[in-house]
Amino acid sequence: AGQNKIEKFSHDPGDTNSVASNKLFGERLFETVDGNLWVPYMGGISVFEPSRGTFYHFVAEPGKHNSIAKAFWYSVAQDDSNYVYIGTSNGVYRILPAAKTTSGALHISERDGLLHNQVYSIVKDKRGMLWITCRNGITCYNPAARSCRNFTYQSGLPQKTLMAPMYHADDGKIYHGGVEKFFVFSPEALLNEAEDARVWFTSFKVYDKEKLP
């Protein structure tokens, strides 16, 4: 009978193909469709290629071809077109993993509709939408349309500060940790509810004087 084998990977200062740091720190390890394993650490992300037994890296060092922004921790997700999304403290970077570079990466930030540039978690739902936890709410990003829809405490989320990971379960729901409480939601139901929302005027004032219709 075969025996289980545990293989250890450690940083070797003399080997650029080793994991970049022994201080691993991030939302989670993430496996892309090509079987590579994305490993966040304090300062960037190392990507393990099992077919070669080596790592390549994305580092928080400006000016390099593989540079990404610094982050409290990094989160990783992949869309239906196989682009990889890296959440940082300066928004989200969309890259083509086979290129092994951030040169030409699409940068998604507050200027593009992202709720906040501080990103803590990214998951993909069954319809291919990306749900991005920001500091003050959740952004639903449509990769095909490159559009954002935002949800905050004011629009129904149970808390104002979201600094925790999400998990997309087999039942289609997204489970979210939190600073104050744990909550769960259906992505489809949340989007439909937002689309069906109506605005009702209950009062209209001009210079603080009530105006009747």
Side-chain angles (χ1 to χ4, degrees):
Q3 294 182 345
N4 293 328
K5 180 182 178 181
I6 298 177
E7 189 173 359
K8 181 180 179 181
F9 298 93
S10 300
H11 174 61
D12 180 353
D15 183 4
T16 58
N17 291 321
S18 68
V19 64
S21 174
N22 291 328
K23 297 179 180 179
L24 304 184
F25 184 74
E27 181 192 9
R28 64 181 181 275
L29 304 185
F30 184 84
E31 184 180 9
T32 45
V33 294
D34 56 8
N36 291 346
L37 194 64
W38 293 61
V39 184
Y41 65 92
M42 298 183 72
I45 297 176
S46 286
V47 183
F48 179 62
E49 299 179 287
S51 60
R52 301 178 59 188
T54 58
F55 293 82
Y56 65 91
H57 316 287
F58 296 95
V59 296
E61 298 178 22
K64 292 193 173 184
H65 74 93
N66 57 343
S67 175
I68 55 176
K70 290 184 179 180
F72 174 72
W73 69 45
Y74 293 99
S75 53
V76 182
Q78 190 168 29
D79 69 14
D80 290 338
S81 298
N82 294 336
Y83 283 101
V84 167
Y85 294 73
I86 302 174
T88 73
S89 59
N90 187 32
V92 178
Y93 291 81
R94 189 198 74 172
I95 64 173
L96 193 61
K100 300 182 181 181
T101 178
T102 52
S103 297
L106 175 67
H107 182 213
I108 306 164
S109 69
E110 293 175 18
R111 294 179 301 177
D112 307 292
L114 190 68
L115 191 58
H116 197 287
N117 282 339
Q118 181 67 65
V119 172
Y120 292 101
S121 184
I122 310 174
V123 296
K124 183 184 74 171
D125 69 18
K126 290 186 175 181
R127 296 196 296 179
M129 302 295 107
L130 295 177
W131 294 81
I132 304 169
T133 294
C134 302
R135 183 177 182 86
N136 56 344
I138 298 175
T139 292
C140 178
Y141 181 75
N142 184 328
R146 297 189 184 182
S147 61
C148 297
R149 291 186 63 183
N150 296 321
F151 301 89
T152 65
Y153 179 79
Q154 286 75 21
S155 57
L157 295 185
Q159 59 193 57
K160 296 180 180 179
T161 304
L162 301 178
M163 297 173 59
M166 290 185 289
Y167 173 71
H168 181 240
D170 292 338
D171 62 4
K173 294 180 179 178
I174 292 178
Y175 293 78
H176 202 304
V179 177
E180 302 166 358
K181 60 188 71 176
F182 167 89
F183 63 94
V184 58
F185 64 91
S186 165
E188 185 173 353
L190 186 59
L191 288 173
N192 290 341
E193 180 179 327
E195 289 175 354
D196 294 339
R198 296 181 180 181
V199 177
W200 299 91
F201 287 96
T202 59
S203 177
F204 181 72
K205 294 182 179 181
V206 176
Y207 297 110
D208 204 33
K209 292 184 179 181
E210 190 83 25
K211 296 291 183 179
L212 299 177

